[in-house]
Amino acid sequence: EVQLLESGGGLVQPGGSLRLSCAASGFTFSSYAMIWVRQAPGKGLEWVSAISDSGGSTKYADSVKGRLTISRDNSKNTLYLQMNSLRAEDTAVYYCAKAAPYSGSPWDFDYWGQGTLVTVSS
Amino acid sequence: QSALTQPASVSGSPGQSITISCTGTSSDVGGYNYVSWYQQHPSKAPKLMIYEVTNRPSGVSNRFSGSKSGNTASLTISGLQAEDEADYYCTSYTSSSTVVFGGGTKLTVL
């Protein structure tokens, strides 16, 4: 059974840092691209960052470029999101998700974690 | 990249059909057959319902169908059921080789 379990969320002051983790199981983690998507309270979904299966290619939404860094450790089946210089507008539930193998698009995701809440506030 | 445009809300009675639109540009929806739809129940993770405009992942009811014309994609749910009440989001591949989400549509089953 595919499982994605996010952790690392919490309350942080503006300008602070957090590192989110997403522990994967039930599939060959190193074979799939992964994504972080966030959802501010009461708002819609917004993609944050994506990484290729090997980790050699990464992409970022303009809103987080230069502040957030995606990475992965395929030996530990874990995806990460290092979040620096956090702002109030980064407050959201952060989901990790796995690329769908049956889609021709690299941007379709078939399994999602339950999310971890990041709150940026003084 | 601006968000794709979806109606804020739609509603229908059990057994009826509803359609949710998703409007983009020639740089996203109109340019690629890579439109997807996700269903999200409150406090739950999104679920992929449609990919590549018309395809359903295994296990998704055939009451859900997708289509596209020009820069607008649509999700149709037939035979509405109470369990279909949720938020629905469209996404599209973009000319920047990234993805753009729609603003989301709240479906109410009356």
Side-chain angles (χ1 to χ4, degrees), chain B residues 33-104:
Chain B
N33 288 323
Y34 287 145
V35 174
S36 301
W37 291 90
Y38 291 87
Q39 176 192 65
Q40 187 183 34
H41 288 109
S43 300
K44 298 294 186 182
K47 176 185 177 182
L48 182 62
M49 304 300 284
I50 297 287
Y51 67 99
E52 293 178 348
V53 180
T54 61
N55 296 328
R56 284 186 307 275
S58 175
V60 172
S61 171
N62 60 8
R63 298 186 298 106
F64 292 82
S65 62
S67 62
K68 190 185 84 166
S69 178
N71 295 338
T72 298
S74 298
L75 172 71
T76 298
I77 308 174
S78 60
L80 266 182
Q81 299 180 0
E83 67 206 49
D84 299 331
E85 185 163 292
D87 293 327
Y88 291 85
Y89 295 88
C90 61
T91 73
S92 175
Y93 183 74
T94 79
S95 58
S96 301
S97 301
T98 59
V99 66
V100 59
F101 279 82

Side-chain angles (χ1 to χ4, degrees), chain A residues 3 8 18-21 25-26 28 35 49 53-54 62 66-67 71 83 85-87 89 92 95 102 110-111:
Chain A
Q3 289 193 334
L18 275 180
R19 188 174 85 154
L20 306 184
S21 298
S25 61
T28 304
I35 193 173
S49 183
D53 52 3
S54 66
D62 289 343
R67 301 187 300 116
S71 62
M83 310 173 72
S85 303
L86 284 164
R87 307 167 179 167
E89 54 264 37
Y95 295 99
Y102 42 76
D110 58 349
Y111 286 93

Side-chain angles (χ1 to χ4, degrees), chain B residues 1-12:
Chain B
Q1 188 79 43
S2 298
L4 305 176
T5 300
Q6 299 181 232
S9 63
V10 298
S11 63

Side-chain angles (χ1 to χ4, degrees), chain A residues 18-120:
Chain A
L18 275 180
R19 188 174 85 154
L20 306 184
S21 298
C22 170
S25 61
F27 66 102
T28 304
F29 180 70
S30 60
S31 295
Y32 295 94
M34 300 289 293
I35 193 173
W36 287 99
V37 173
R38 69 184 180 185
Q39 186 168 35
K43 302 297 184 181
L45 301 171
E46 177 191 20
W47 84 277
V48 172
S49 183
I51 189 168
S52 62
D53 52 3
S54 66
S57 176
T58 59
K59 289 186 180 288
Y60 298 93
D62 289 343
S63 58
V64 305
K65 206 169 289 185
R67 301 187 300 116
L68 274 58
T69 303
I70 192 171
S71 62
R72 65 192 296 162
D73 186 336
N74 286 343
S75 69
K76 295 183 178 179
N77 291 343
T78 303
L79 175 73
Y80 302 102
L81 187 67
Q82 178 66 44
M83 310 173 72
N84 298 331
S85 303
L86 284 164
R87 307 167 179 167
E89 54 264 37
D90 295 317
T91 294
V93 173
Y94 285 72
Y95 295 99
C96 64
K98 163 192 166 290
Y102 42 76
S103 175
S105 168
W107 293 93
D108 286 330
F109 299 91
D110 58 349
Y111 286 93
W112 296 61
Q114 284 305 300
T116 186
L117 176 63
V118 172
T119 303
V120 183

